């Protein structure tokens, strides 16, 4: 298959590109290094050293495996970039990770919020138009987020819910109550994609993904130069990855508020497998299919306790510290989202274990001198100071 | 009260400004003439002659009534414009009509879709940020549309619905299935505004408005120079207004498809009253209140028949012609939206009647030499040609 990976320089994008390439697919990656630029502006960086750009990553991949990955360095909000990629590649599937992915980044101030929504919504609109006019058979596999749903007081279904009301019933999009300007941009995307499927007859799968953890995939193991990025800072770091870095460097685990916030999580290995399952089992034309892409739910405090326990076994003395929650979110809430559709397609989850956490410790230890300590605590607050 | 009207040069914005000014409120209007520019580009125009810009409209208003309306000519996507308006006016209420309002315009091509979503979403984000940081007590009264809901197979509630599911229940945003890139932009706004209320504690009312008809208000009657614009072309014209113009000039009434499409409608007089009711009864802090703002539902064919009948009484020979539907929409569907909240606040509807239609004929007749005939049939199709 001809597969285009948008956001192919990212934490998940680059491993996904290598995976599909390793399986013999024709892979083309697109990225304009937004994440790298944002890190440079903030004075933060990936824990793992990564090659400086996509051409060098693709060159290393060629050296190690003999396989080619095509590269476009460009911005998805620039129609000329998208048009050229689609005209040249005529993809069978597009895997779309190519968005600004951070809630704290989007909440810094007005300009960051406007940038986040413009960048994500317009980039995705361009992709939809490109599929419509240049590759109408192409299956869009879009990375959404479980955060689109928020924390309603009922079970969360996969994208849609049957609503019975006043003696009638309909199967409708699940209501969305996202918690940041970033999460809102994903909700806007979901509505735009749904429209493109309903009205233009496109086909798409929206992967409402949970929080991803892990550092190694089958392909990153092959050579140090194939490493993916690993973020642990206050803006781009996510819960378990950050805790593991904090544990290794002797920083207290920073739990926001009570730590009762419960979310879905999955191993990076399962992300790659889920994306693969979506690509090889495409949606029907006219359908926006939604999969809730996570394997287990944990509260933040449960994760912190797990890391403390694994730390003790590993010889690390781990402290848990509650910090004033910079976000506006419920710290105690009901949370029971469905996630059976990917299991039905054949996903066999890599569940979270103390052993997995310890294996992350050992990778992190190799790079612990690279940790930038002054960007671990949260800087940006959701609520305006009055 | 200090009231800012965004989009104060428009069909509804200008009459709203005059109404509030006439009631003794301090009114400031903002507009960058997007609608006028779009008409010039398309070779179309308002049926009614209107003064060339807001300063001349405000000057005429001053001459006729002795009252002042403040004017800013500027673009809501430009933060400097918004910041200056909010800093100078410190509004108690903002009535936000300031968006690109046409579904066919948004569906012309990729560039028009991108423009529509950027213009509407970013303009409204700027307004939210301005309220948050410069006027946190200000009540936002935002014009949304009944088109946000689409045509689900259950009763449509006012913004939210109680969903009972697997033995639990929650009161959640009503699912949205909008039918154009323009309608999508309004859905994105609704989610952004809901977030600003939930997370920042702002207060807002989203008026999910039906299709407005009518040409005269109490204030436009005072002087010909105070007329509001009246669109009947394929891009900016809306159902009943267009049919009335078609009837007067002897053009067949253009019904799209079977004409079974049912929507909510209201008289322009009721729009002004609804906006007034929302402004004088503000939402609570932290609340996004949604009112379904229409007074009666009609199918397109019912409207066409009404115009034919009123035409016969008036001496016009009116033909109804079904044209191939340029949109992708259900032509036969269930439609039963709630609309009691504005009635509860005191709205007394001006219902549609043959007499009202005949009074529209007589105004239109005065200007019938201004009608541009070659922009009446639809040009832009929702579905791509393959």
């Amino acid at each position: 298959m001809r597969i285009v990976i948008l956001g192919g320089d990212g934490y998940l994008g680059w491993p996904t590109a290598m995976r599909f390439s390793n399986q013999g697919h024709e892979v083309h990656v697109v990225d304009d290094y937004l994440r790298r630029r944002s890190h440079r502006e903030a004075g933060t960086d990936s824990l793992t050293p990564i090659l400086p750009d996509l051409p060098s990553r693709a060159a290393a991949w060629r050296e190690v495996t003999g396989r080619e990955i095509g590269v476009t360095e460009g911005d998805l909000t620039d129609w000329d970039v998208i048009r050229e990629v689609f005209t040249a590649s005529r993809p069978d599937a597009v895997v779309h990770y190519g968005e600004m992915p951070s809630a704290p980044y989007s909440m810094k101030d007005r300009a960051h919020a406007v940038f986040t929504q413009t960048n994500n919504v317009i980039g995705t609109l361009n992709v939809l138009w490109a599929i419509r006019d240049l590759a109408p058979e192409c299956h869009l596999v879009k990375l959404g987020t479980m955060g689109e749903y928020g924390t309603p007081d009922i079970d969360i279904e996969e994208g849609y819910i049957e609503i019975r009301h006043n003696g009638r019933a309909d199967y409708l999009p699940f209501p969305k109550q996202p918690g940041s300007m970033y999460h809102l941009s994903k909700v806007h995307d979901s509505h735009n994609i749904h429209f493109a499927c309903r009205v233009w007859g496109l086909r798409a799968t929206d992967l409402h993904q949970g929080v991803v953890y892990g550092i190694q995939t089958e392909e990153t193991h092959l050579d140090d130069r194939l490493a993916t990025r690993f973020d642990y800072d206050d803006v781009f770091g996510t819960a378990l990855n950050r805790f593991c870095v904090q544990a290794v460097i002797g920083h207290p685990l920073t739990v926001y508020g009570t730590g009762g916030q419960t979310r879905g999580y999955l191993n990076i290995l399962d992300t790659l497998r889920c994306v693969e399952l979506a690509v090889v089992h495409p949606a029907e034309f006219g359908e926006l299919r939604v999969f809730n892409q996570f394997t287990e739910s944990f509260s933040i405090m449960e994760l912190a306790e797990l890391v403390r326990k694994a730390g003790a076994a590993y010889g690390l003395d781990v402290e848990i510290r509650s910090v004033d929650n910079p976000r506006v979110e419920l710290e105690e809430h009901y949370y029971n989202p469905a996630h059976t559709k990917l299991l039905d397609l054949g996903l066999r989850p890599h569940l979270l274990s103390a052993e997995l956490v310890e294996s992350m410790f050992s990778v992190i230890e190799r790079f612990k001198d690279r940790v930038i300590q002054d960007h671990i605590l949260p800087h940006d607050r959701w609520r305006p100071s009055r």
Side-chain angles (χ1 to χ4, degrees), chain A:
Chain A
M1 289 174 78
R2 290 186 306 277
I3 303 174
V4 166
I5 316 280
L6 306 173
D9 191 49
Y11 170 54
L12 302 174
W14 176 240
T16 302
M18 291 192 292
R19 164 61 49 93
F20 279 123
S21 177
N22 223 4
Q23 292 175 340
H25 298 293
E26 197 176 304
V27 175
H28 192 94
V29 292
V30 184
D31 210 300
D32 82 328
Y33 307 124
L34 169 59
R35 178 85 69 106
R36 295 184 189 239
R37 281 198 308 282
S38 309
H39 271 290
R40 272 199 297 278
E41 282 162 22
T44 51
D45 200 359
S46 168
L47 175 79
T48 46
I50 56 175
L51 294 182
D53 53 32
L54 279 171
S56 24
R57 293 182 123 173
W61 178 247
R62 191 186 315 116
E63 270 185 51
V64 174
T65 65
R67 297 187 184 274
E68 297 286 339
I69 290 179
V71 171
T72 295
E73 297 171 289
D75 180 351
L76 305 183
T77 66
D78 179 347
W79 172 244
D80 290 339
V81 168
I82 301 265
R83 198 192 27 177
E84 192 163 317
V85 166
F86 272 75
T87 308
S89 310
R90 300 278 168 194
D92 302 304
V94 170
V95 180
H96 181 14
Y97 292 104
E99 300 203 324
M100 204 301 299
S102 160
Y105 182 95
S106 75
M107 295 299 293
K108 274 181 189 296
D109 54 26
R110 187 198 63 85
H112 283 79
V114 165
F115 172 80
T116 301
Q117 293 210 356
T118 308
N119 183 72
N120 293 2
V121 173
I122 303 311
T124 299
L125 271 185
N126 280 343
V127 171
L128 292 172
W129 235 279
I131 296 175
R132 172 191 190 270
D133 290 340
L134 303 171
E137 316 267 298
C138 176
H139 176 215
L140 173 63
V141 176
K142 164 68 165 50
L143 272 290
T145 161
M146 286 298 295
E148 294 185 39
Y149 299 116
T151 53
D153 209 27
I154 57 173
D155 292 349
I156 295 170
E157 299 301 325
E158 300 196 62
Y160 304 88
I161 182 169
E162 194 192 29
I163 301 181
R164 291 174 301 285
H165 182 51
N166 297 350
R168 303 179 63 90
D170 201 357
Y171 189 65
L172 294 168
F174 198 96
K176 301 286 180 82
Q177 299 179 107
S180 77
M181 288 284 164
Y182 153 71
H183 290 98
L184 282 158
S185 75
K186 294 279 192 182
V187 171
H188 306 340
D189 286 339
S190 291
H191 284 95
N192 284 342
I193 298 168
H194 192 213
F195 174 85
C197 294
R198 283 186 287 123
V199 169
W200 295 337
L202 307 194
R203 54 177 174 171
T205 301
D206 199 316
L207 300 172
H208 279 28
Q209 186 168 244
V211 184
V212 185
Y213 58 82
I215 196 162
Q216 296 275 29
T217 73
E218 224 173 281
E219 288 75 22
T220 66
H221 268 303
L222 298 174
D223 191 292
D224 271 359
R225 291 169 299 164
L226 302 179
T228 192
R229 66 172 312 114
F230 188 88
D231 294 318
Y232 59 89
D233 60 282
D234 65 315
V235 172
F236 292 107
T238 48
L240 185 60
N241 287 356
R242 297 176 64 219
F243 285 167
C244 289
V245 171
Q246 291 171 345
V248 168
I249 65 171
H251 191 290
L253 308 190
T254 50
V255 167
Y256 294 171
T258 65
Q261 305 92 318
T262 301
R263 301 289 184 269
Y265 290 80
L266 74 165
N267 191 305
I268 188 171
L269 297 171
D270 291 335
T271 292
L272 300 196
R273 178 66 177 146
C274 290
V275 169
E276 183 193 340
L277 288 168
V279 166
V280 301
H281 301 284
E284 302 293 322
F285 289 105
E287 180 192 15
L288 168 60
R289 190 174 57 169
V290 179
F291 294 157
N292 291 347
Q293 179 167 309
F294 70 98
T295 59
E296 297 171 276
S297 291
F298 299 100
S299 74
I300 285 290
M301 191 54 84
E302 285 170 342
L303 287 184
E305 292 292 358
L306 176 69
V307 171
R308 174 154 67 182
K309 213 152 101 181
Y314 193 82
L316 298 169
D317 185 19
V318 178
E319 181 197 341
I320 297 173
R321 184 179 297 168
S322 167
V323 302
D324 191 29
N325 195 341
R327 307 188 175 203
V328 177
E329 60 186 3
L330 294 178
E331 294 179 6
E332 304 298 331
H333 58 89
Y334 182 74
Y335 200 66
N336 186 32
H339 57 113
T340 57
K341 291 190 184 177
L342 282 159
L343 297 170
D344 291 347
L345 285 182
L347 174 66
R348 306 217 174 172
H350 298 76
L351 297 182
L352 183 54
S353 64
E355 293 66 41
L356 185 277
V357 172
E358 289 176 46
S359 81
M360 286 176 69
F361 289 157
S362 77
V363 179
I364 291 166
E365 273 195 324
R366 281 183 62 199
F367 303 114
K368 72 183 207 184
D369 294 343
R370 288 174 50 89
V371 173
I372 300 163
Q373 295 247 8
D374 52 349
H375 286 280
I376 287 180
L377 291 172
H379 284 70
D380 303 299
R381 313 196 73 76
W382 265 225
R383 215 187 279 281
S385 44
R386 292 265 160 78

